[in-house]
Amino acid sequence: MREIVRWLLLAAGFLACDPPAGFAAVSVDPGAAAKLARSSNAFGFDLYQRLLQQPGNLVISPASLTTALAMTWGGARGETAAQMGRVLHLEGTAGEVMATSGQLARSLQAPSRPIVFRIANQLFGEKTYKLEPAFVEKTREAFGAPVELLDFKRAPEPARVHINEWVEGRTEHRIKDLIPPGEVKPDTRLVLVNAIYFLGDWATPFEHEATHPAPFHLTASESKDVPTMNRTDRFRIAHQDGVTALEIPYKGGELSMMLLVPDGIEGLAAVEGALDTKKLDALASAMKEERVWVALPKFEVNPGASLSLGEDLKTLGMPLAFDLNRADFTGIANPPDPADRLFIKKVFHKGFVRVDEKGTEAAAATAVMIRAMGFAMGEAPRQLKIDRPFLFLIRDNASGFVLFLGRVSDPSRP
């Protein structure tokens, strides 16, 4: 049987931890970062369109997926590399993209930021299989991804358990069973895991006393009461083409959550179907600061099963990477026997997002916020009652990089 490479992707929940030893913030070229963000966002929206039929709440991390697939693209050759580059909307050489991706990741993790953003990358390789030293070095240098050797051939199930435990340990047990049973086999040769961890307090927290049950309309004919936060403040807001966009900044103002709320109770499908980089950029550009009363339900998106994205990636235009006869990953490993060459077998992805009065993690830290009322007393607030299915995005404001993207169809369910 042909050797198998399984790229396993993780977009994790929220973790508070100290920066790694020797961590130093790096500068990143704003133009290069914005270009990478556009590529990642375009790919994320393309993939999201493939997932629209998934029922209920949904979350993906375009940043996590792009990072992991960019690493594999760095070891792809020929038409395999060309297909992956087109699907990922990547511009420039693999070396340039990897360098920018690594620099942007390190800048987002700067310890000086008042939020916690952590990225962890790891390669798990079969201990008897030889990877190309150049690939190992450049992924380590750009992404800080070390290699751990495991015995996939003789002990695939213990290896799967070990990798899942590695994931759990770096997500405070938020992400469990990323790799489903039976998915690591004796012919697995490489598993790549990318994890994103985010913890952010709102720049101004919602007051717990202002959270009350309120109706949330699941459909035009069905609703349920859910805990709903309320706040009046100055927010950036815009309305275009049947959707209202509201931006809630995190502490420090460098990251924010953008909420996309359709005009109609059953208008989410139209908003999702029209979502792309052009639409997002237009909404972001149209935003103006206003005094707004916002009613936002508390929610947690915590899916039980991982998404398996291989078929979606093939359909988007990169089938060669999954073709055991034609995939070219000789930049990762180039064994003398062509039967030992690599192809992608499976891609797994899992996310976690929780939003409450404090921010994106309950009881992770304590902060006393002094709120400045920066508006004229006679100014009537605009009202935005988020009482219907909506979308959310967590973005880096400087580059526009979308870290998390998802929908809330029912705030009372994970």
Side-chain angles (χ1 to χ4, degrees), residues 40-70:
S40 177
N41 295 352
F43 164 62
F45 293 140
D46 288 347
L47 181 61
Y48 190 83
Q49 295 300 319
R50 295 281 311 161
L51 301 174
L52 291 183
Q53 300 308 311
Q54 294 275 343
N57 300 335
L58 176 66
V59 59
I60 65 171
S61 171
S64 176
L65 287 159
T66 296
T67 299
L69 288 170

PDB file of all heavy atoms in Angstrom, residues 40-70:
ATOM      1  N   SER A  40      -5.782  34.258   2.616  1.00  0.00           N
ATOM      2  CA  SER A  40      -6.363  33.368   3.610  1.00  0.00           C
ATOM      3  C   SER A  40      -7.872  33.573   3.723  1.00  0.00           C
ATOM      4  O   SER A  40      -8.642  32.607   3.792  1.00  0.00           O
ATOM      5  CB  SER A  40      -5.695  33.613   4.971  1.00  0.00           C
ATOM      6  OG  SER A  40      -6.283  32.812   5.974  1.00  0.00           O
ATOM      7  N   ASN A  41      -8.302  34.835   3.724  1.00  0.00           N
ATOM      8  CA  ASN A  41      -9.733  35.115   3.836  1.00  0.00           C
ATOM      9  C   ASN A  41     -10.493  34.584   2.630  1.00  0.00           C
ATOM     10  O   ASN A  41     -11.582  34.005   2.773  1.00  0.00           O
ATOM     11  CB  ASN A  41      -9.968  36.613   3.975  1.00  0.00           C
ATOM     12  CG  ASN A  41      -9.396  37.189   5.259  1.00  0.00           C
ATOM     13  OD1 ASN A  41      -8.948  36.452   6.129  1.00  0.00           O
ATOM     14  ND2 ASN A  41      -9.390  38.500   5.372  1.00  0.00           N
ATOM     15  N   ALA A  42      -9.937  34.774   1.426  1.00  0.00           N
ATOM     16  CA  ALA A  42     -10.606  34.301   0.211  1.00  0.00           C
ATOM     17  C   ALA A  42     -10.756  32.782   0.245  1.00  0.00           C
ATOM     18  O   ALA A  42     -11.818  32.234  -0.084  1.00  0.00           O
ATOM     19  CB  ALA A  42      -9.813  34.729  -1.020  1.00  0.00           C
ATOM     20  N   PHE A  43      -9.699  32.089   0.654  1.00  0.00           N
ATOM     21  CA  PHE A  43      -9.779  30.634   0.783  1.00  0.00           C
ATOM     22  C   PHE A  43     -10.798  30.249   1.854  1.00  0.00           C
ATOM     23  O   PHE A  43     -11.604  29.328   1.666  1.00  0.00           O
ATOM     24  CB  PHE A  43      -8.405  30.070   1.126  1.00  0.00           C
ATOM     25  CG  PHE A  43      -8.431  28.662   1.646  1.00  0.00           C
ATOM     26  CD1 PHE A  43      -8.907  27.625   0.854  1.00  0.00           C
ATOM     27  CD2 PHE A  43      -8.006  28.379   2.932  1.00  0.00           C
ATOM     28  CE1 PHE A  43      -8.952  26.312   1.344  1.00  0.00           C
ATOM     29  CE2 PHE A  43      -8.048  27.082   3.431  1.00  0.00           C
ATOM     30  CZ  PHE A  43      -8.513  26.054   2.638  1.00  0.00           C
ATOM     31  N   GLY A  44     -10.772  30.938   2.995  1.00  0.00           N
ATOM     32  CA  GLY A  44     -11.707  30.626   4.065  1.00  0.00           C
ATOM     33  C   GLY A  44     -13.155  30.785   3.624  1.00  0.00           C
ATOM     34  O   GLY A  44     -14.007  29.942   3.940  1.00  0.00           O
ATOM     35  N   PHE A  45     -13.447  31.861   2.883  1.00  0.00           N
ATOM     36  CA  PHE A  45     -14.822  32.068   2.417  1.00  0.00           C
ATOM     37  C   PHE A  45     -15.201  31.023   1.371  1.00  0.00           C
ATOM     38  O   PHE A  45     -16.343  30.547   1.344  1.00  0.00           O
ATOM     39  CB  PHE A  45     -14.989  33.477   1.863  1.00  0.00           C
ATOM     40  CG  PHE A  45     -14.876  34.556   2.901  1.00  0.00           C
ATOM     41  CD1 PHE A  45     -14.214  35.736   2.628  1.00  0.00           C
ATOM     42  CD2 PHE A  45     -15.411  34.387   4.159  1.00  0.00           C
ATOM     43  CE1 PHE A  45     -14.096  36.735   3.583  1.00  0.00           C
ATOM     44  CE2 PHE A  45     -15.309  35.373   5.130  1.00  0.00           C
ATOM     45  CZ  PHE A  45     -14.648  36.554   4.837  1.00  0.00           C
ATOM     46  N   ASP A  46     -14.258  30.646   0.486  1.00  0.00           N
ATOM     47  CA  ASP A  46     -14.534  29.578  -0.485  1.00  0.00           C
ATOM     48  C   ASP A  46     -14.898  28.284   0.236  1.00  0.00           C
ATOM     49  O   ASP A  46     -15.858  27.600  -0.131  1.00  0.00           O
ATOM     50  CB  ASP A  46     -13.311  29.327  -1.369  1.00  0.00           C
ATOM     51  CG  ASP A  46     -13.059  30.435  -2.381  1.00  0.00           C
ATOM     52  OD1 ASP A  46     -13.958  31.280  -2.581  1.00  0.00           O
ATOM     53  OD2 ASP A  46     -11.964  30.447  -2.965  1.00  0.00           O
ATOM     54  N   LEU A  47     -14.117  27.946   1.249  1.00  0.00           N
ATOM     55  CA  LEU A  47     -14.371  26.716   1.991  1.00  0.00           C
ATOM     56  C   LEU A  47     -15.684  26.816   2.763  1.00  0.00           C
ATOM     57  O   LEU A  47     -16.465  25.852   2.812  1.00  0.00           O
ATOM     58  CB  LEU A  47     -13.216  26.426   2.944  1.00  0.00           C
ATOM     59  CG  LEU A  47     -13.332  25.158   3.784  1.00  0.00           C
ATOM     60  CD1 LEU A  47     -13.410  23.921   2.902  1.00  0.00           C
ATOM     61  CD2 LEU A  47     -12.158  25.046   4.761  1.00  0.00           C
ATOM     62  N   TYR A  48     -15.947  27.974   3.347  1.00  0.00           N
ATOM     63  CA  TYR A  48     -17.184  28.154   4.096  1.00  0.00           C
ATOM     64  C   TYR A  48     -18.403  27.913   3.199  1.00  0.00           C
ATOM     65  O   TYR A  48     -19.405  27.336   3.646  1.00  0.00           O
ATOM     66  CB  TYR A  48     -17.235  29.551   4.707  1.00  0.00           C
ATOM     67  CG  TYR A  48     -18.363  29.743   5.688  1.00  0.00           C
ATOM     68  CD1 TYR A  48     -18.232  29.341   7.014  1.00  0.00           C
ATOM     69  CD2 TYR A  48     -19.569  30.311   5.296  1.00  0.00           C
ATOM     70  CE1 TYR A  48     -19.271  29.505   7.921  1.00  0.00           C
ATOM     71  CE2 TYR A  48     -20.615  30.482   6.187  1.00  0.00           C
ATOM     72  CZ  TYR A  48     -20.457  30.076   7.495  1.00  0.00           C
ATOM     73  OH  TYR A  48     -21.503  30.223   8.387  1.00  0.00           O
ATOM     74  N   GLN A  49     -18.311  28.340   1.940  1.00  0.00           N
ATOM     75  CA  GLN A  49     -19.421  28.103   1.010  1.00  0.00           C
ATOM     76  C   GLN A  49     -19.679  26.614   0.818  1.00  0.00           C
ATOM     77  O   GLN A  49     -20.813  26.197   0.586  1.00  0.00           O
ATOM     78  CB  GLN A  49     -19.125  28.755  -0.346  1.00  0.00           C
ATOM     79  CG  GLN A  49     -19.040  30.272  -0.327  1.00  0.00           C
ATOM     80  CD  GLN A  49     -20.326  30.930   0.131  1.00  0.00           C
ATOM     81  OE1 GLN A  49     -21.408  30.510  -0.240  1.00  0.00           O
ATOM     82  NE2 GLN A  49     -20.206  31.968   0.947  1.00  0.00           N
ATOM     83  N   ARG A  50     -18.621  25.809   0.939  1.00  0.00           N
ATOM     84  CA  ARG A  50     -18.771  24.365   0.832  1.00  0.00           C
ATOM     85  C   ARG A  50     -19.430  23.757   2.078  1.00  0.00           C
ATOM     86  O   ARG A  50     -19.934  22.641   2.025  1.00  0.00           O
ATOM     87  CB  ARG A  50     -17.397  23.702   0.633  1.00  0.00           C
ATOM     88  CG  ARG A  50     -16.710  24.045  -0.665  1.00  0.00           C
ATOM     89  CD  ARG A  50     -17.269  23.239  -1.810  1.00  0.00           C
ATOM     90  NE  ARG A  50     -17.337  21.829  -1.471  1.00  0.00           N
ATOM     91  CZ  ARG A  50     -18.092  20.937  -2.112  1.00  0.00           C
ATOM     92  NH1 ARG A  50     -18.870  21.324  -3.102  1.00  0.00           N
ATOM     93  NH2 ARG A  50     -18.082  19.666  -1.761  1.00  0.00           N
ATOM     94  N   LEU A  51     -19.398  24.487   3.183  1.00  0.00           N
ATOM     95  CA  LEU A  51     -19.888  23.956   4.453  1.00  0.00           C
ATOM     96  C   LEU A  51     -21.269  24.486   4.831  1.00  0.00           C
ATOM     97  O   LEU A  51     -21.758  24.206   5.924  1.00  0.00           O
ATOM     98  CB  LEU A  51     -18.895  24.298   5.570  1.00  0.00           C
ATOM     99  CG  LEU A  51     -17.469  23.764   5.381  1.00  0.00           C
ATOM    100  CD1 LEU A  51     -16.559  24.295   6.491  1.00  0.00           C
ATOM    101  CD2 LEU A  51     -17.453  22.242   5.365  1.00  0.00           C
ATOM    102  N   LEU A  52     -21.891  25.242   3.939  1.00  0.00           N
ATOM    103  CA  LEU A  52     -23.158  25.892   4.281  1.00  0.00           C
ATOM    104  C   LEU A  52     -24.248  24.893   4.648  1.00  0.00           C
ATOM    105  O   LEU A  52     -25.163  25.232   5.414  1.00  0.00           O
ATOM    106  CB  LEU A  52     -23.636  26.755   3.110  1.00  0.00           C
ATOM    107  CG  LEU A  52     -22.805  28.006   2.811  1.00  0.00           C
ATOM    108  CD1 LEU A  52     -23.434  28.797   1.678  1.00  0.00           C
ATOM    109  CD2 LEU A  52     -22.684  28.880   4.050  1.00  0.00           C
ATOM    110  N   GLN A  53     -24.179  23.688   4.109  1.00  0.00           N
ATOM    111  CA  GLN A  53     -25.225  22.713   4.381  1.00  0.00           C
ATOM    112  C   GLN A  53     -25.047  22.033   5.735  1.00  0.00           C
ATOM    113  O   GLN A  53     -25.920  21.260   6.150  1.00  0.00           O
ATOM    114  CB  GLN A  53     -25.263  21.664   3.266  1.00  0.00           C
ATOM    115  CG  GLN A  53     -25.536  22.240   1.883  1.00  0.00           C
ATOM    116  CD  GLN A  53     -26.763  23.132   1.847  1.00  0.00           C
ATOM    117  OE1 GLN A  53     -27.826  22.753   2.346  1.00  0.00           O
ATOM    118  NE2 GLN A  53     -26.628  24.315   1.262  1.00  0.00           N
ATOM    119  N   GLN A  54     -23.911  22.296   6.408  1.00  0.00           N
ATOM    120  CA  GLN A  54     -23.740  21.751   7.750  1.00  0.00           C
ATOM    121  C   GLN A  54     -24.827  22.329   8.657  1.00  0.00           C
ATOM    122  O   GLN A  54     -25.008  23.537   8.727  1.00  0.00           O
ATOM    123  CB  GLN A  54     -22.364  22.144   8.312  1.00  0.00           C
ATOM    124  CG  GLN A  54     -21.196  21.526   7.584  1.00  0.00           C
ATOM    125  CD  GLN A  54     -20.862  20.142   8.100  1.00  0.00           C
ATOM    126  OE1 GLN A  54     -21.276  19.754   9.180  1.00  0.00           O
ATOM    127  NE2 GLN A  54     -20.113  19.390   7.307  1.00  0.00           N
ATOM    128  N   PRO A  55     -25.565  21.505   9.370  1.00  0.00           N
ATOM    129  CA  PRO A  55     -26.650  22.036  10.213  1.00  0.00           C
ATOM    130  C   PRO A  55     -26.111  22.679  11.483  1.00  0.00           C
ATOM    131  O   PRO A  55     -25.026  22.355  11.966  1.00  0.00           O
ATOM    132  CB  PRO A  55     -27.472  20.784  10.546  1.00  0.00           C
ATOM    133  CG  PRO A  55     -26.478  19.657  10.493  1.00  0.00           C
ATOM    134  CD  PRO A  55     -25.492  20.030   9.418  1.00  0.00           C
ATOM    135  N   GLY A  56     -26.879  23.618  12.018  1.00  0.00           N
ATOM    136  CA  GLY A  56     -26.585  24.179  13.330  1.00  0.00           C
ATOM    137  C   GLY A  56     -25.425  25.144  13.351  1.00  0.00           C
ATOM    138  O   GLY A  56     -25.020  25.722  12.333  1.00  0.00           O
ATOM    139  N   ASN A  57     -24.867  25.324  14.543  1.00  0.00           N
ATOM    140  CA  ASN A  57     -23.742  26.237  14.732  1.00  0.00           C
ATOM    141  C   ASN A  57     -22.504  25.691  14.033  1.00  0.00           C
ATOM    142  O   ASN A  57     -22.337  24.472  13.882  1.00  0.00           O
ATOM    143  CB  ASN A  57     -23.458  26.428  16.216  1.00  0.00           C
ATOM    144  CG  ASN A  57     -24.656  27.003  16.964  1.00  0.00           C
ATOM    145  OD1 ASN A  57     -25.506  27.677  16.387  1.00  0.00           O
ATOM    146  ND2 ASN A  57     -24.728  26.741  18.261  1.00  0.00           N
ATOM    147  N   LEU A  58     -21.604  26.598  13.663  1.00  0.00           N
ATOM    148  CA  LEU A  58     -20.441  26.196  12.869  1.00  0.00           C
ATOM    149  C   LEU A  58     -19.297  27.153  13.150  1.00  0.00           C
ATOM    150  O   LEU A  58     -19.507  28.354  13.336  1.00  0.00           O
ATOM    151  CB  LEU A  58     -20.803  26.245  11.372  1.00  0.00           C
ATOM    152  CG  LEU A  58     -19.701  25.944  10.348  1.00  0.00           C
ATOM    153  CD1 LEU A  58     -19.241  24.494  10.450  1.00  0.00           C
ATOM    154  CD2 LEU A  58     -20.213  26.229   8.936  1.00  0.00           C
ATOM    155  N   VAL A  59     -18.055  26.624  13.197  1.00  0.00           N
ATOM    156  CA  VAL A  59     -16.881  27.468  13.311  1.00  0.00           C
ATOM    157  C   VAL A  59     -15.730  26.829  12.560  1.00  0.00           C
ATOM    158  O   VAL A  59     -15.534  25.613  12.611  1.00  0.00           O
ATOM    159  CB  VAL A  59     -16.490  27.725  14.788  1.00  0.00           C
ATOM    160  CG1 VAL A  59     -16.206  26.428  15.535  1.00  0.00           C
ATOM    161  CG2 VAL A  59     -15.289  28.661  14.886  1.00  0.00           C
ATOM    162  N   ILE A  60     -14.985  27.660  11.825  1.00  0.00           N
ATOM    163  CA  ILE A  60     -13.730  27.254  11.211  1.00  0.00           C
ATOM    164  C   ILE A  60     -12.711  28.366  11.464  1.00  0.00           C
ATOM    165  O   ILE A  60     -13.073  29.494  11.825  1.00  0.00           O
ATOM    166  CB  ILE A  60     -13.844  26.991   9.690  1.00  0.00           C
ATOM    167  CG1 ILE A  60     -14.195  28.282   8.926  1.00  0.00           C
ATOM    168  CG2 ILE A  60     -14.838  25.891   9.393  1.00  0.00           C
ATOM    169  CD1 ILE A  60     -14.108  28.145   7.413  1.00  0.00           C
ATOM    170  N   SER A  61     -11.448  28.030  11.280  1.00  0.00           N
ATOM    171  CA  SER A  61     -10.388  29.024  11.382  1.00  0.00           C
ATOM    172  C   SER A  61      -9.649  29.107  10.056  1.00  0.00           C
ATOM    173  O   SER A  61      -8.785  28.269   9.769  1.00  0.00           O
ATOM    174  CB  SER A  61      -9.412  28.680  12.496  1.00  0.00           C
ATOM    175  OG  SER A  61      -8.289  29.547  12.439  1.00  0.00           O
ATOM    176  N   PRO A  62      -9.965  30.092   9.215  1.00  0.00           N
ATOM    177  CA  PRO A  62      -9.202  30.250   7.972  1.00  0.00           C
ATOM    178  C   PRO A  62      -7.709  30.401   8.227  1.00  0.00           C
ATOM    179  O   PRO A  62      -6.881  29.900   7.455  1.00  0.00           O
ATOM    180  CB  PRO A  62      -9.809  31.519   7.357  1.00  0.00           C
ATOM    181  CG  PRO A  62     -11.189  31.585   7.907  1.00  0.00           C
ATOM    182  CD  PRO A  62     -11.077  31.059   9.310  1.00  0.00           C
ATOM    183  N   ALA A  63      -7.345  31.081   9.318  1.00  0.00           N
ATOM    184  CA  ALA A  63      -5.932  31.273   9.625  1.00  0.00           C
ATOM    185  C   ALA A  63      -5.238  29.946   9.895  1.00  0.00           C
ATOM    186  O   ALA A  63      -4.120  29.698   9.423  1.00  0.00           O
ATOM    187  CB  ALA A  63      -5.782  32.206  10.826  1.00  0.00           C
ATOM    188  N   SER A  64      -5.876  29.072  10.654  1.00  0.00           N
ATOM    189  CA  SER A  64      -5.297  27.767  10.968  1.00  0.00           C
ATOM    190  C   SER A  64      -5.169  26.909   9.718  1.00  0.00           C
ATOM    191  O   SER A  64      -4.131  26.298   9.462  1.00  0.00           O
ATOM    192  CB  SER A  64      -6.153  27.054  12.012  1.00  0.00           C
ATOM    193  OG  SER A  64      -5.659  25.757  12.274  1.00  0.00           O
ATOM    194  N   LEU A  65      -6.226  26.871   8.929  1.00  0.00           N
ATOM    195  CA  LEU A  65      -6.207  26.064   7.718  1.00  0.00           C
ATOM    196  C   LEU A  65      -5.156  26.556   6.733  1.00  0.00           C
ATOM    197  O   LEU A  65      -4.405  25.771   6.156  1.00  0.00           O
ATOM    198  CB  LEU A  65      -7.596  26.081   7.075  1.00  0.00           C
ATOM    199  CG  LEU A  65      -8.657  25.262   7.805  1.00  0.00           C
ATOM    200  CD1 LEU A  65     -10.052  25.734   7.434  1.00  0.00           C
ATOM    201  CD2 LEU A  65      -8.486  23.792   7.489  1.00  0.00           C
ATOM    202  N   THR A  66      -5.092  27.865   6.542  1.00  0.00           N
ATOM    203  CA  THR A  66      -4.106  28.414   5.621  1.00  0.00           C
ATOM    204  C   THR A  66      -2.691  28.116   6.092  1.00  0.00           C
ATOM    205  O   THR A  66      -1.820  27.747   5.293  1.00  0.00           O
ATOM    206  CB  THR A  66      -4.303  29.936   5.464  1.00  0.00           C
ATOM    207  OG1 THR A  66      -5.578  30.183   4.872  1.00  0.00           O
ATOM    208  CG2 THR A  66      -3.227  30.542   4.577  1.00  0.00           C
ATOM    209  N   THR A  67      -2.454  28.272   7.390  1.00  0.00           N
ATOM    210  CA  THR A  67      -1.117  28.016   7.925  1.00  0.00           C
ATOM    211  C   THR A  67      -0.691  26.579   7.668  1.00  0.00           C
ATOM    212  O   THR A  67       0.403  26.304   7.165  1.00  0.00           O
ATOM    213  CB  THR A  67      -1.079  28.309   9.432  1.00  0.00           C
ATOM    214  OG1 THR A  67      -1.390  29.682   9.653  1.00  0.00           O
ATOM    215  CG2 THR A  67       0.296  28.014  10.011  1.00  0.00           C
ATOM    216  N   ALA A  68      -1.555  25.618   8.011  1.00  0.00           N
ATOM    217  CA  ALA A  68      -1.207  24.217   7.840  1.00  0.00           C
ATOM    218  C   ALA A  68      -1.024  23.852   6.370  1.00  0.00           C
ATOM    219  O   ALA A  68      -0.079  23.158   6.001  1.00  0.00           O
ATOM    220  CB  ALA A  68      -2.266  23.339   8.487  1.00  0.00           C
ATOM    221  N   LEU A  69      -1.928  24.330   5.522  1.00  0.00           N
ATOM    222  CA  LEU A  69      -1.830  23.989   4.108  1.00  0.00           C
ATOM    223  C   LEU A  69      -0.684  24.727   3.431  1.00  0.00           C
ATOM    224  O   LEU A  69      -0.099  24.224   2.473  1.00  0.00           O
ATOM    225  CB  LEU A  69      -3.161  24.269   3.410  1.00  0.00           C
ATOM    226  CG  LEU A  69      -4.273  23.281   3.776  1.00  0.00           C
ATOM    227  CD1 LEU A  69      -5.619  23.756   3.247  1.00  0.00           C
ATOM    228  CD2 LEU A  69      -3.963  21.885   3.252  1.00  0.00           C
ATOM    229  N   ALA A  70      -0.340  25.916   3.914  1.00  0.00           N
ATOM    230  CA  ALA A  70       0.829  26.612   3.367  1.00  0.00           C
ATOM    231  C   ALA A  70       2.106  25.841   3.667  1.00  0.00           C
ATOM    232  O   ALA A  70       3.044  25.824   2.861  1.00  0.00           O
ATOM    233  CB  ALA A  70       0.922  28.028   3.926  1.00  0.00           C
TER     234      ALA A  70
END
